[in-house]
Amino acid sequence: MFVLYINDLLSSINYSKGFSFADDTKLIGAISGLQDVELLQEDLNTVIEWSKNNNMELHENKFEVVSYPLNESKTMRELPFYSETVQYSTPGGVIITPQNTVRDLWVYISGDRKWRTQIDKTAEAAKKMAAWVLSAFHDRSVNRRRERYCIVHVWKILNDVAPIDIGICFQQNMRLGIKAEIPAINKKSQLSVRADYDRTFRIRAAQLFNLLPANLRSIKKLDSFKIELGKVLEQYPDTPPVPGYTTTNDNSLLSWKRTHPIELSCA
């Protein structure tokens, strides 16, 4: 009902582009001079006036503005009036202070068009969740669960159950069966670059999937695949690293395959 209620809101603006999702609305305008600032300000005033006419109050103290320079030139930013092109206000006199970073539908966007804040916030949340998970379990078998998920996701991509969102392709081999392709990296690349490459989900998931027996990779029913996958994973040792103790390896299936080759079978 709320969506229907605000259905004509965006049709009231004249000079900028408007977007709404639930109760969040944004105005976007290209600013090349003070006249463009005035037009964007006019659209902002129109939206506020619309809300008053429709008995809906906007949280003017929560308004935010962010500016995205489209080139590396500092000419415009050095002009005396530049500050006036990034500052707006409401009819009630609330000044909307320019921000370097704002949160838009839970995604942090920055004026420099970089994603460092979003990455840092996501990583921080993931660390907190990981700490909670690891404090709730007596062992560290979470890693094995994650690798199982990677394998299942690749199977879903192969069988059109999930979109090809990580660029994995497959090839059919008469002797080895269906295998995920693993593109080569330039051998002249720095060691740090090659290490990062090997740790990417795209590469690691394909490597894990290729560990499976050929007949397991060719199973077409998800439930059957998961059952047989569980039988295969049971054949690998599961000794998660524990702080203060020396372990054989990092407990990855890939590490066990290298250090303790296992003859895998799938009924």
Side-chain angles (χ1 to χ4, degrees):
M1 293 300 295
F2 179 76
V3 173
L4 293 176
Y5 186 75
I6 66 170
N7 188 50
D8 63 328
L9 168 60
L10 298 181
S11 63
S12 65
I13 62 178
N14 299 308
Y15 308 108
S16 57
K17 293 183 179 180
F19 301 89
S20 290
F21 181 83
D23 59 346
D24 289 316
T25 298
K26 65 175 70 69
L27 300 178
I28 300 177
I31 306 299
S32 58
L34 292 179
Q35 182 178 3
D36 294 325
V37 175
E38 294 173 358
L39 295 178
L40 183 57
Q41 178 70 63
E42 184 175 332
D43 276 345
L44 174 61
N45 295 341
T46 298
V47 169
I48 295 175
E49 184 65 24
W50 179 95
S51 67
K52 292 180 178 179
N53 293 337
N54 287 272
N55 299 316
M56 187 177 72
E57 182 179 359
L58 297 177
H59 296 285
E60 297 185 6
N61 291 325
K62 293 184 177 181
F63 286 7
E64 295 177 309
V65 60
V66 62
S67 175
Y68 303 96
L70 296 182
N71 54 57
E72 299 300 328
S73 174
K74 297 182 179 180
T75 302
M76 182 175 178
R77 294 193 290 278
E78 292 175 350
L79 293 176
F81 63 82
Y82 175 72
S83 60
E84 299 178 28
T85 68
V86 294
Q87 183 169 293
Y88 298 84
S89 62
T90 69
V94 177
I95 302 299
I96 308 175
T97 305
Q99 303 291 326
N100 293 326
T101 301
V102 299
R103 190 175 68 176
D104 183 16
L105 299 179
W106 294 94
V107 174
Y108 290 89
I109 54 179
S110 302
D112 58 7
R113 304 186 304 282
K114 297 181 179 179
W115 297 98
R116 175 52 51 193
T117 301
Q118 173 66 17
I119 293 172
D120 290 344
K121 292 287 185 180
T122 302
E124 181 181 354
K127 288 179 181 178
K128 291 181 179 179
M129 180 60 70
W132 178 84
V133 171
L134 296 178
S135 67
F137 291 91
H138 295 294
D139 59 40
R140 297 296 184 262
S141 60
V142 175
N143 179 55
R144 184 59 50 83
R145 293 172 182 265
R146 180 180 183 276
E147 292 192 329
R148 178 182 180 277
Y149 164 79
C150 293
I151 294 172
V152 172
H153 188 68
V154 174
W155 181 94
K156 289 181 177 180
I157 293 176
L158 171 63
N159 292 276
D160 297 324
V161 179
I164 307 177
D165 53 358
I166 52 177
I168 288 185
C169 298
F170 301 88
Q171 58 183 359
Q172 176 73 48
N173 185 288
M174 293 295 294
R175 184 173 62 88
L176 302 177
I178 300 175
K179 302 197 73 173
E181 293 182 357
I182 302 177
I185 188 174
N186 191 334
K187 294 183 178 180
K188 296 182 180 180
S189 300
Q190 300 180 48
L191 290 177
S192 59
V193 174
R194 296 167 64 180
D196 290 341
Y197 175 82
D198 290 336
R199 286 194 293 265
T200 60
F201 185 90
R202 160 71 175 84
I203 300 303
R204 201 164 184 85
Q207 292 173 337
L208 290 166
F209 182 78
N210 290 343
L211 283 180
L212 305 179
N215 53 343
L216 174 52
R217 285 183 257 120
S218 64
I219 292 177
K220 296 300 182 182
K221 292 184 178 181
L222 180 57
D223 290 340
S224 300
F225 177 78
K226 289 182 176 180
I227 291 174
E228 297 302 326
L229 174 61
K231 295 178 181 178
V232 168
L233 296 184
E234 288 176 354
Q235 300 181 50
Y236 282 94
D238 189 8
T239 56
V242 177
Y245 293 87
T246 301
T247 56
T248 304
N249 52 48
D250 60 4
N251 201 42
S252 169
L253 298 174
L254 298 173
S255 298
W256 281 115
K257 182 66 175 180
R258 289 192 295 266
T259 59
H260 291 71
I262 298 175
E263 185 66 30
L264 296 178
S265 62
C266 174

